[in-house]
Amino acid sequence: MKKREKIHLKFLGGARTVTGSKTLLEVGNTKILVDCGLFQGLKELRKLNWREITRNASEIDYVLLTHAHLDHCGYLPILVKNGFKGTIYCTHPTKELATIVLRDSGKIQEEDANRANRYEYSSHSPAKPLYTQADAEAVVNQFSTHNYEEWVILEPEIKFQLLNAGHILGSAMVELKIYDQTLVFTGDIGRTDPMLLYPPKKVSKADYLIIESTYGDREHDTLDVKMKLERVIKETFQRGGILMVPTFSIERVQEIMFLMYQLRNGNRLPNVPIYLDSPMGIRATEVFETYPKWQDLSRQDLQQMYEGIRWVNSYEASKAIVKDKNPKIILAGSGMLQGGRILHYLSEHIGNEKNTLLFTGYQAEGTRGRALLKGSSSIKFFGEYHSVKCQIASISSLSAHGDRTELLQWMEHFQSPPKKVFLNHGEPHQLDAFRVWIESKLGWDVIVPYQEESFEL
Ligand SMILES: [Zn+2]
């Protein structure tokens, strides 16, 4: 074996927060970045996207990407723009989904900068996009795709494999072997029994474990989501109303379509049109259809689950459906009402008490979705206030993250304790609660790293 070089782990993002996931691993002169996510949410966090993460991105040799969510892949265009020439390793579906997500993100960054310039509210003059669609496009050539459980050798003493994380299509944990040490990065880790995917791969050994903590302080409620969805649909149509579901394009909207397909099969769905009015949702669903083997579904389910959904691609078609006041189900982005076609539906239908707005995912602080869930009587978009008369409903138990008990059960498969456990991807109170929980239940040595904190392993 070659002389053992020092291994350093540095938390560049996703430390004491849930966005911007980026962990730098240095083995001698080799630099590996695990995930390359965008900071999102409050302005203080978003400002971190403008800071260079290393003096020179060209110093980084490899990126290992766990999955296609923006908070894990959304910084890649900046890394490439700043000189990163290396390979980005991920699964096949992750490459396809990340390509869609990054293009959309580049478009939004450009639109935001244009709007800021038009209304001159940026402190930078002129406002520049963080990155453009062209920057996002440039990332695509650097992906190298792999199956789960396929060892990839990076350097003589460094190899890794991607393991199913059960979080979204193609999502992976990263198991790295460096000399005789094993490091496992969970990325985001799914439920014990995901709706469409195979359960997260069980791991029995790691010297160092880097694990997410999004739900480290709580359990998901055990409500039957299908029954709840059926009830909301039924009540809305008994009033002759329209059901509007703001959707997240990857995994969640496919889960909702799967639940509706099951209701339809059981004759529990009224005969009304269902529209998927989301260009990004449609493109993501096409990726789901391309990778059937990556999903734990029967051939029949895979063939039939999207039948009966009307896909709305053109803006003209969308405008006509927005104006129509007949009962229907609308699935449209964005999931937290921060933009997208759902706002056109709200503009037309939010003021009618017959209609329902149904949330199916987490609503972050500062979003219109959070304001409505908290009971706001009006929300502002398209430059004016709209008073809220429609019914507001929520299915909170749908989640792509394992809860505290599920994460613990996953850790209980370890045959011996890791030397150190690092908690990331959580808010400070979640991280602290999870640390105490692991220490008390398993007696493991747990660290909650700070942003920029570095450790020698
Ligand atoms: Zn994720």
Side-chain angles (χ1 to χ4, degrees), residues 68-216:
H69 276 150
L70 207 54
D71 57 328
H72 293 257
C73 74
Y75 196 84
L76 283 170
I78 303 173
L79 198 73
V80 170
K81 193 163 82 168
N82 290 350
F84 170 69
K85 296 267 188 303
T87 302
I88 303 159
Y89 294 92
C90 62
T91 64
H92 311 286
T94 294
K95 174 189 170 175
E96 302 226 9
L97 292 172
T99 303
I100 295 169
V101 165
L102 293 176
R103 277 187 193 134
D104 184 69
S105 175
K107 184 167 160 242
I108 290 170
Q109 309 283 351
E110 286 184 46
E111 286 168 357
D112 285 351
N114 287 341
R115 198 173 309 124
N117 287 331
R118 212 166 335 127
Y119 300 109
E120 293 179 347
Y121 57 65
S122 170
S123 49
H124 310 274
S125 181
K128 281 193 297 197
L130 192 56
Y131 56 85
T132 63
Q133 287 184 79
D135 296 328
E137 212 63 55
V139 174
V140 177
N141 302 323
Q142 282 170 252
F143 285 112
S144 169
T145 57
H146 299 271
N147 288 317
Y148 290 139
E149 300 177 43
E150 175 190 331
W151 283 103
V152 181
I153 297 171
L154 296 177
E155 309 263 328
E157 296 294 346
I158 308 174
K159 64 178 181 177
F160 76 89
Q161 63 171 342
L162 302 170
L163 305 172
N164 173 35
H167 168 62
I168 62 168
L169 183 70
S171 64
M173 304 181 228
V174 177
E175 180 182 2
L176 268 151
K177 292 229 189 276
I178 305 173
Y179 301 104
D180 56 349
Q181 301 294 299
T182 304
L183 282 73
V184 171
F185 294 78
T186 66
D188 289 352
I189 185 164
R191 310 289 310 267
T192 302
D193 187 16
M195 199 186 299
L196 310 180
L197 304 172
Y198 292 99
K201 174 82 182 174
K202 296 176 180 80
V203 172
S204 60
K205 181 189 176 294
D207 295 291
Y208 299 95
L209 173 66
I210 298 90
I211 184 168
E212 69 126 321
S213 318
T214 317
Y215 284 89

Side-chain angles (χ1 to χ4, degrees), residues 268-298:
R268 291 158 66 185
L269 195 68
N271 188 21
V272 292
I274 306 170
Y275 297 98
L276 173 58
D277 189 354
S278 161
M280 191 163 146
I282 290 171
R283 285 197 295 276
T285 305
E286 284 166 350
V287 179
F288 276 69
E289 290 185 303
T290 311
Y291 291 97
K293 290 194 183 125
W294 296 67
Q295 297 165 75
D296 187 11
L297 292 169
S298 70

Side-chain angles (χ1 to χ4, degrees), residues 231-244 325 327 352-357 389-393:
R231 196 164 71 230
V232 172
I233 292 172
K234 214 181 209 164
E235 287 168 0
T236 306
F237 293 121
Q238 278 168 353
R239 294 190 301 266
I242 295 168
L243 175 62
M244 298 173 281
K325 292 201 163 39
N352 187 331
E353 63 214 10
K354 288 195 297 190
N355 303 329
T356 307
L357 177 62
K389 297 267 167 52
C390 73
Q391 315 299 314
I392 306 290

